[in-house]
Amino acid sequence: MLALVVGSLLMAPGAAGLAGPSITPVIRGALGANGWYRSNVTINWQVSPAPDSTAGCDAVTISVDTTGKSFTCAASWSDGTSISVRKTIKVDRSVPRVSAAPDRTPDANGWYNHPLKVSFSGADATSGVSSCSQVGYGGPDTSKAAVSGGCTDRAGNVGRATYGFKYDSTPAKLGALRFKRGNRRLLLSWVTTPDATFSDLTRSPGLKGAASSTIYRGRKRTVRDKHLQIGTSYLYTVTIFDQASNRTSKTVTVTATGPLLDPVPAAHVSSPPRLVWLRVAHAGFYNVQVFHLHKKILSVWPTHAHLRLGRNWRFRNHHFHLGPGKYRWYVWPGFRNGSAIRYGRRIGGSTFYVTKSRP
């Protein structure tokens, strides 16, 4: 603010149009925005011509922040002329105090797992805050993520701050959900990358008549499910979580069996199946019998707990062909003690259907 006051100005004849006495402020300092200075300010006064007397025209340095401080230089000449000039100086040398806040709390365990925005706010005691920034973040994954932003005051000073956090939006990798059948039980297993910290395994149908049940939660990657219903088809879903609660799931559908493992009960096959059953301790051989239309069509004695059926075979002087239809099969364990042979209790029985025989 510059004010000029002229008391009286005497001019010589013929001097019309010539410049009269003047006072000019000379200001040194870093000028910011909106008329504010951002450094110490020194005011000098140029008075022309040399006055007979002055008041308040000494050089002044402002070294503190101020919302407005006024200085007046007054000068008088012998011809009766008096001039007074006033200058108001605003100084804000301090940057705003800045703080940062995300748009939400961490998603899980102190981690963010999808993009966030960080808003910066500030306070400025002198000129006041003009604007602040907002910064978004969506990667990369790191435990030392950070964004920087700031606020600008009305003088043009910029204050900055940094907000640090943990970010992981990439789920752990999960291999196929595998299984191994047993007698009314299953051994389920899965493989993950090291960043998986937790697993959840569900089954449908669930326990005690429930539509679905969680049968395991924890850090294991191998789980045994027992007391299954033979011939029932179960849907298993394993979901893994990482430290940021990102998830990955895999499913598998398994038909439960008794001790006869493969084919599963009532399976439909189009080629001669491989019969598999649970091994019995100390058994030296097994007796496998196959029936079709309530008639025994095969009886063999393999030494291992599996048997590949053929397309054609001979039994009791008759030729048989594995044609379409329903087949039932049974297995007994056999034991040798020297020349003596005995059979144990029947291991189990099951069925399969041939839907199309191949030549």
Side-chain angles (χ1 to χ4, degrees):
M1 176 179 178
L2 179 61
L4 176 63
V5 180
V6 180
S8 63
L9 177 61
L10 299 178
M11 301 179 63
L18 296 178
S22 64
I23 300 175
T24 303
V26 179
I27 302 174
R28 293 181 176 84
L31 183 61
N34 304 307
W36 288 81
Y37 287 88
R38 295 165 50 196
S39 68
N40 291 349
V41 176
T42 299
I43 304 178
N44 288 282
W45 303 91
Q46 291 182 348
V47 183
S48 180
D52 291 312
S53 64
T54 61
C57 298
D58 294 335
V60 177
T61 298
I62 306 168
S63 57
V64 295
D65 291 352
T66 174
T67 58
K69 190 171 184 178
S70 298
F71 302 88
T72 301
C73 172
S76 299
W77 288 263
S78 59
D79 60 4
T81 301
S82 297
I83 299 176
S84 177
V85 175
R86 184 180 182 184
K87 183 68 176 178
T88 299
I89 302 297
K90 299 185 295 182
V91 178
D92 185 354
R93 303 167 305 161
S94 304
V95 301
R97 297 187 304 275
V98 179
S99 58
D103 59 356
R104 65 181 192 279
T105 58
D107 298 302
N109 304 314
W111 289 78
Y112 290 92
N113 61 25
H114 62 280
L116 67 151
K117 291 182 179 179
V118 179
S119 297
F120 293 85
S121 59
D124 187 89
T126 307
S127 64
V129 173
S130 174
S131 63
C132 294
S133 60
Q134 184 182 74
V135 182
Y137 188 91
D141 296 345
T142 174
S143 61
K144 297 181 179 180
V147 296
S148 295
C151 296
T152 303
D153 64 19
R154 291 186 175 88
N157 299 301
V158 178
R160 302 195 66 82
T162 298
Y163 179 75
F165 52 95
K166 297 184 291 184
Y167 188 87
D168 181 2
S169 63
T170 305
K173 293 182 179 180
L174 172 63
L177 178 54
R178 302 185 182 279
F179 63 89
K180 183 178 181 181
R181 290 188 178 93
N183 184 8
R184 300 182 63 193
R185 65 180 61 191
L186 285 172
L187 183 66
L188 299 116
S189 62
W190 54 95
V191 177
T192 72
T193 48
D195 50 335
T197 59
F198 187 82
S199 298
D200 182 284
L201 182 64
T202 63
R203 189 190 83 190
S204 179
L207 305 172
K208 298 181 179 179
S212 179
S213 297
T214 297
I215 60 174
Y216 176 74
R217 283 178 176 166
R219 298 180 180 272
K220 293 182 180 179
R221 289 168 174 79
T222 300
V223 175
R224 193 180 303 275
D225 193 15
K226 303 178 181 179
H227 310 300
L228 304 178
Q229 295 296 319
I230 296 174
T232 298
S233 182
Y234 294 92
L235 175 66
Y236 290 91
T237 300
V238 63
T239 302
I240 63 169
F241 301 83
D242 63 14
Q243 56 194 350
S245 202
N246 297 300
R247 63 181 61 192
T248 306
S249 298
K250 290 289 179 70
T251 62
V252 66
T253 300
V254 187
T255 299
T257 70
L260 304 193
L261 307 178
D262 198 35
V264 298
H268 288 70
V269 300
S270 58
S271 60
R274 182 174 183 263
L275 308 181
V276 181
W277 55 92
L278 287 177
R279 187 178 66 86
V280 175
H282 309 299
F285 61 95
Y286 301 89
N287 178 226
V288 180
Q289 298 182 15
V290 181
F291 290 77
H292 179 52
L293 300 177
H294 306 289
K295 179 181 179 180
K296 184 189 295 188
I297 61 173
L298 179 66
S299 182
V300 290
W301 290 265
T303 57
H304 299 286
H306 55 81
L307 171 68
R308 170 71 71 178
L309 294 181
R311 297 185 182 92
N312 302 281
W313 65 91
R314 185 178 178 85
F315 175 66
R316 291 180 179 174
N317 298 319
H318 289 84
H319 291 281
F320 292 94
H321 174 72
L322 193 69
K326 178 181 179 181
Y327 293 81
R328 187 159 188 85
W329 59 292
Y330 304 89
V331 181
W332 288 263
F335 304 90
R336 289 189 178 92
N337 186 6
S339 60
I341 293 177
R342 68 176 181 87
Y343 289 95
R345 181 179 298 178
R346 187 177 72 187
I347 297 174
S350 187
T351 61
F352 63 88
Y353 292 83
V354 176
T355 57
K356 181 180 178 181
S357 60
R358 295 180 180 177

